[in-house]
Amino acid sequence: MSYIDGFVAAVPTANKEKYIKHASDAAAVFKEYGALKLVECWGDDVPEGETTSFPMAVKCQPEETVVFSWIEWPSRAIRDHAMPKIMDDPRLQPDVNPMPFDGKRLIYGGFETIVAG
């Protein structure tokens, strides 16, 4: 089964277009290195929880929107092989493709697919 990298971030709502460009540019690079699919989702119905929630997890401020995204890889081995090359790619360096959000509040992780419908 495939391998998934998942992400949750708080993006300044005013930076939505900048985020779309940032993510689109990055998607092309990830796909060149073997990613099967990238999905970026702009929060539309993301309630604040009492104990936990997406907004709480990323310390989302009133002027920010929660973004949920994932990258699908054929396998973890392919992802692990590609990731150092992706991080070194000049097209993804901060001076070329800066993150339009606070990366310190980005949540990410790799996940083994166990059910796919």
Side-chain angles (χ1 to χ4, degrees), residues 5-8 103 106-111:
D5 281 325
F7 308 88
V8 180
L106 172 70
I107 297 173
Y108 62 91
F111 300 85

Short mmCIF file of all heavy atoms in Angstrom, two decimals, residues 5-8 103 106-111:
data_model
loop_
_atom_site.label_atom_id
_atom_site.label_comp_id
_atom_site.label_asym_id
_atom_site.label_seq_id
_atom_site.Cartn_x
_atom_site.Cartn_y
_atom_site.Cartn_z
N ASP A 5 2.38 11.28 3.73
CA ASP A 5 2.88 12.35 4.59
C ASP A 5 1.71 13.29 4.81
O ASP A 5 1.10 13.76 3.84
CB ASP A 5 4.04 13.10 3.94
CG ASP A 5 5.36 12.37 4.04
OD1 ASP A 5 5.59 11.69 5.06
OD2 ASP A 5 6.17 12.48 3.11
N GLY A 6 1.37 13.57 6.06
CA GLY A 6 0.25 14.44 6.38
C GLY A 6 0.71 15.71 7.08
O GLY A 6 1.71 15.69 7.80
N PHE A 7 -0.02 16.81 6.84
CA PHE A 7 0.35 18.12 7.36
C PHE A 7 -0.87 18.90 7.81
O PHE A 7 -1.92 18.83 7.17
CB PHE A 7 1.05 18.96 6.27
CG PHE A 7 2.19 18.25 5.60
CD1 PHE A 7 1.95 17.45 4.49
CD2 PHE A 7 3.48 18.38 6.07
CE1 PHE A 7 2.99 16.78 3.86
CE2 PHE A 7 4.53 17.73 5.44
CZ PHE A 7 4.29 16.93 4.34
N VAL A 8 -0.73 19.66 8.87
CA VAL A 8 -1.74 20.62 9.31
C VAL A 8 -0.98 21.91 9.65
O VAL A 8 0.03 21.86 10.35
CB VAL A 8 -2.53 20.13 10.54
CG1 VAL A 8 -3.58 21.15 10.97
CG2 VAL A 8 -3.20 18.79 10.25
N GLY A 103 6.08 28.20 10.06
CA GLY A 103 6.46 26.80 10.00
C GLY A 103 6.67 26.16 11.36
O GLY A 103 6.63 24.94 11.49
N LEU A 106 3.64 24.12 12.20
CA LEU A 106 3.28 23.06 11.25
C LEU A 106 3.35 21.71 11.95
O LEU A 106 4.32 21.41 12.64
CB LEU A 106 4.24 23.09 10.07
CG LEU A 106 4.15 21.94 9.07
CD1 LEU A 106 2.86 22.05 8.26
CD2 LEU A 106 5.36 21.94 8.15
N ILE A 107 2.31 20.92 11.78
CA ILE A 107 2.31 19.54 12.30
C ILE A 107 2.43 18.62 11.10
O ILE A 107 1.75 18.80 10.09
CB ILE A 107 0.99 19.24 13.05
CG1 ILE A 107 0.86 20.14 14.27
CG2 ILE A 107 0.93 17.78 13.45
CD1 ILE A 107 -0.48 20.03 14.95
N TYR A 108 3.31 17.64 11.19
CA TYR A 108 3.49 16.72 10.06
C TYR A 108 3.88 15.35 10.58
O TYR A 108 4.34 15.19 11.70
CB TYR A 108 4.53 17.24 9.07
CG TYR A 108 5.91 17.40 9.66
CD1 TYR A 108 6.84 16.37 9.61
CD2 TYR A 108 6.28 18.58 10.30
CE1 TYR A 108 8.10 16.51 10.16
CE2 TYR A 108 7.54 18.73 10.85
CZ TYR A 108 8.45 17.69 10.78
OH TYR A 108 9.68 17.83 11.33
N GLY A 109 3.67 14.36 9.75
CA GLY A 109 4.06 13.01 10.08
C GLY A 109 3.86 12.09 8.90
O GLY A 109 3.16 12.42 7.95
N GLY A 110 4.53 10.95 8.95
CA GLY A 110 4.40 9.93 7.92
C GLY A 110 3.52 8.80 8.42
O GLY A 110 3.59 8.40 9.58
N PHE A 111 2.69 8.29 7.51
CA PHE A 111 1.68 7.29 7.88
C PHE A 111 1.65 6.13 6.90
O PHE A 111 1.59 6.33 5.69
CB PHE A 111 0.28 7.93 7.92
CG PHE A 111 0.18 9.07 8.91
CD1 PHE A 111 0.56 10.35 8.56
CD2 PHE A 111 -0.28 8.83 10.19
CE1 PHE A 111 0.47 11.40 9.45
CE2 PHE A 111 -0.36 9.87 11.11
CZ PHE A 111 0.02 11.16 10.73
#
